[in-house]
């Protein structure tokens, strides 16, 4: 349980909130590259940490992230004309470039010096791993590093994007809660006599009926990783089924892979009570991967089919997530289609900001407790003027981090699974050094 003060420290990101300052010390994904793929194309309205912003790729191909509201009379630049190396407001024609300069003021006299005195909100931008990234901090931007799901330019990346009407922390807590997958996602992750997690076009079979995993946490320089240890269906007396998840502070989770793709999750705070959830399937050559359309179809999160133009799911709290009770009677556990939609139903029905003082936590919540401890402490340290977590000192090579999934002998110490090695190599090395 958290106190009300601790809950606010964990959840609130707007204005001068300490957790917002933690987030501003990092490069943040603001949209997918595909949304602004065309030079001179339509601007994209975005929101981060309570700020309304616009992302655009100008006619020269340069990316910009600027405040949504024109500095003149505050009309929305999301409706503006993207032309001639800038974004032109429809109201009086003021044009803003990607650096926030007002380069034209057609409504002002030719001799006016006003343009030189106006500076519009503009943030630094990078592009990598299928995303546009922005740095919103006041200090010098840290060196941009490729994310964990983009170890090379050849990495195959597929992305699901969904807007969640809930606070970022309770969304992230779903990603580090391995126990819930055996219940909430039991229809989509059915037990099967296989040698590890598998992926088909419709389900993720996995080799265990154990719904109460033993969780063990290991602190790391980037946050923590934890193992969920279950009894496998085969050889339960001599083997364990191990799933290792990484929390990379402040908002990234690498969940265990299957035989076709690796998996990463981003939980980006739009404001205090809304989150942009990104679910990423990727392959760096060790696995075949999955294409974008198939990934979105599998997740029940296809734009224009399952998602509206703002990436809000058509199955949402307003319509009870279109839960199918007849399907439940016939064996579907939740009656809600799609793993992300099942999660979303849980996150949103907790309320915009869950009252963590009313919870009753158990043994399956070890990783949740560790996340809260780390991030509440990080917020307090940031409020006291100390560097934000993950933004100072030695930083790991994020692009080489790996989660793990597999059946191992019981004398294998999962803590010895190297953070920067392929799963196959990691198992061999860990098994050779039992703990």
């Amino acid at each position: 349980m958290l106190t009300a003060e601790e809950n606010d420290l964990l959840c609130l990101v707007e204005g001068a909130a300490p957790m917002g300052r933690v987030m501003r010390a990092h490069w943040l994904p603001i949209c997918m590259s595909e949304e602004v793929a065309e030079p001179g194309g339509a601007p994209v309205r975005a929101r981060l940490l309570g700020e309304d912003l616009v992302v655009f790729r100008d006619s020269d191909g340069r990316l910009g992230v600027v405040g949504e509201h024109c500095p003149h009379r505050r009309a929305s630049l999301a409706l503006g004309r993207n032309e001639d190396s800038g974004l032109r407001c429809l109201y009086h024609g003021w044009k803003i470039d990607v650096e926030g300069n007002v380069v034209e003021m057609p409504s002002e006299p030719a001799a006016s010096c006003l343009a030189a005195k106006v500076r519009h909100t503009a943030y630094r931008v990078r592009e990598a791993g299928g995303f546009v990234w922005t740095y919103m901090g006041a200090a010098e931007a840290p060196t941009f590093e490729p994310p964990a799901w983009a170890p090379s330019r050849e990495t195959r990346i597929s992305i699901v994007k969904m807007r969640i009407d809930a606070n970022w922390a309770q969304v992230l807590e779903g990603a580090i809660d391995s126990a819930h997958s055996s219940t909430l996602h039991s229809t989509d992750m059915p037990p099967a006599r296989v040698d590890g997690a598998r992926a088909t076009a419709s389900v993720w079979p996995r080799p265990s009926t154990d719904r109460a995993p033993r969780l063990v946490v290991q602190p790391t320089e980037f946050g923590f990783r934890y193992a969920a240890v279950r009894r496998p269906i085969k050889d339960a007396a001599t083997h364990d089924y191990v799933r290792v998840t990484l929390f990379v502070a402040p908002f990234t989770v690498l969940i265990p892979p299957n035989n076709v793709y690796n998996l990463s999750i981003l939980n980006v705070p739009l404001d205090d009570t809304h989150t942009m959830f990104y679910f990423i399937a990727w392959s760096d050559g060790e696995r075949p991967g999955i294409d974008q359309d198939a990934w979105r179809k599998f997740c029940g999160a296809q734009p224009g089919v399952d998602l509206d133009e703002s990436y809000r799911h058509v199955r949402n709290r307003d319509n009870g997530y279109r839960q199918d009770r007849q399907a439940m009677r016939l064996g579907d556990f939740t009656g809600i289609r799609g793993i992300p939609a099942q999660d979303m139903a849980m996150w949103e029905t907790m309320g915009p900001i869950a009252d963590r003082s009313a919870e009753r936590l158990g043994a399956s919540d070890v990783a949740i407790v560790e996340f809260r401890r780390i991030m509440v402490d990080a917020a307090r340290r940031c409020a006291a003027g100390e560097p934000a977590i993950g933004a100072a000192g030695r930083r790991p090579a994020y692009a080489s981090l790996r989660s793990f999934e597999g059946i191992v002998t019981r004398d294998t110490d999962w803590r010895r699974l190297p953070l920067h090695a392929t799963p196959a190599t990691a198992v061999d090395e860990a098994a050779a050094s039992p703990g």
Side-chain angles (χ1 to χ4, degrees):
M1 295 185 293
L2 294 182
T3 66
E5 181 263 343
E6 290 170 334
N7 206 32
D8 283 349
L9 280 172
L10 177 66
C11 298
L12 303 185
V13 297
E14 297 183 36
M19 191 59 73
R21 289 158 58 187
V22 169
M23 296 290 176
R24 286 176 184 269
H26 295 266
W27 287 92
L28 302 172
I30 189 167
C31 72
M32 297 181 293
S33 292
E34 68 183 71
E35 298 177 73
V36 286
E38 180 185 358
V44 170
R45 180 181 282 108
R47 186 168 170 82
L48 272 182
L49 307 178
E51 288 193 35
D52 293 321
L53 303 166
V54 168
V55 188
F56 69 106
R57 194 182 300 269
D58 73 10
S59 56
D60 300 318
R62 299 179 304 168
L63 280 165
V65 173
V66 301
E68 178 181 352
H69 302 288
C70 178
H72 181 206
R73 298 273 294 280
R74 310 296 294 165
S76 176
L77 291 172
L79 302 174
R81 297 177 61 89
N82 187 357
E83 61 185 14
D84 301 328
S85 308
L87 199 56
R88 189 183 301 279
C89 180
L90 297 183
Y91 205 0
H92 296 87
W94 285 27
K95 188 165 75 173
I96 315 295
D97 71 10
V98 297
E99 296 176 346
N101 301 305
V102 182
V103 293
E104 289 184 20
M105 288 182 172
S107 61
E108 291 298 302
S112 173
C113 297
L114 182 59
K117 301 176 183 178
V118 178
R119 177 77 178 181
H120 190 48
T121 299
Y123 293 117
R124 281 156 280 195
V125 184
R126 295 289 186 274
E127 188 173 20
F131 289 88
V132 176
W133 302 76
T134 191
Y135 179 74
M136 299 173 67
E140 178 89 19
T143 301
F144 181 83
E145 296 183 15
W149 60 90
S152 73
R153 292 181 181 274
E154 291 71 41
T155 303
R156 186 176 183 183
I157 301 168
S158 299
I159 304 169
V160 158
K161 176 177 180 175
M162 284 172 46
R163 175 189 165 102
I164 309 296
D165 293 341
N167 175 262
W168 78 278
Q170 66 206 57
V171 177
L172 192 145
E173 287 175 353
I176 56 172
D177 176 10
S178 186
H180 86 275
S181 63
S182 300
T183 301
L184 181 66
H185 305 315
S186 55
T187 298
D188 300 276
M189 299 180 179
R193 295 182 69 83
V194 292
D195 59 0
R198 291 290 177 262
T200 72
S202 58
V203 293
W204 286 344
R206 62 185 190 184
S208 178
T209 59
D210 189 351
R211 299 171 69 180
R214 176 171 56 89
L215 269 60
V216 189
V217 174
Q218 179 186 39
T220 68
E221 60 188 357
F222 54 78
F224 65 83
R225 65 173 175 170
Y226 79 93
V229 183
R230 291 176 169 87
R231 296 184 309 276
I233 294 173
K234 296 164 50 178
D235 302 321
T238 57
H239 289 70
D240 287 325
Y241 176 48
V242 179
R243 293 172 58 82
V244 179
T245 298
L246 279 63
F247 165 58
V248 184
F251 54 78
T252 302
V253 178
L254 308 185
I255 66 174
N258 56 49
N259 63 315
V260 180
Y261 37 81
N262 300 291
L263 293 160
S264 301
I265 296 176
L266 300 180
N267 309 276
V268 185
L270 306 184
D271 51 38
D272 289 343
T273 57
H274 299 87
T275 304
M276 199 61 81
F277 165 83
Y278 296 100
F279 197 13
I280 304 159
W282 58 279
S283 173
D284 56 0
E286 296 175 359
R287 295 171 172 82
I290 184 172
D291 68 52
Q292 183 87 289
D293 291 341
W295 176 234
R296 291 172 174 175
K297 184 176 182 180
F298 172 82
C299 290
Q302 295 175 275
V305 178
D306 306 292
L307 308 175
D308 66 17
E309 62 278 1
S310 65
Y311 290 91
R312 188 167 188 248
H313 214 295
V314 298
R315 297 184 291 281
N316 54 58
R317 189 169 184 174
D318 296 342
N319 54 36
Y321 304 94
R322 296 184 180 171
Q323 188 178 37
D324 187 339
R325 290 282 170 173
Q326 177 61 17
M328 294 171 74
R329 283 189 286 272
L330 295 175
D332 186 286
F333 184 75
T334 65
I336 300 172
R337 186 170 70 84
I339 290 173
Q342 293 160 12
D343 283 319
M344 179 179 67
M346 302 300 101
W347 301 329
E348 293 184 343
T349 54
M350 295 176 186
I353 298 179
D355 179 5
R356 290 172 173 81
S357 69
E359 295 176 326
R360 296 296 181 267
L361 302 182
S364 65
D365 299 307
V366 169
I368 305 299
V369 172
E370 182 69 1
F371 162 71
R372 295 176 183 179
R373 184 193 66 78
I374 287 174
M375 295 310 293
V376 168
D377 181 65
R380 285 182 172 143
R381 289 176 178 274
C382 197
E386 297 183 34
I389 185 171
R394 184 168 177 263
R395 304 176 71 203
Y398 295 124
S400 67
L401 292 176
R402 294 292 183 273
S403 56
F404 171 77
E405 180 276 342
I407 296 175
V408 299
T409 59
R410 281 199 167 178
D411 61 358
T412 299
D413 183 358
W414 73 269
R415 297 173 188 82
R416 296 179 182 271
L417 299 174
L419 284 167
H420 304 283
T422 62
T425 302
V427 173
D428 293 340
E429 293 181 5
S433 305

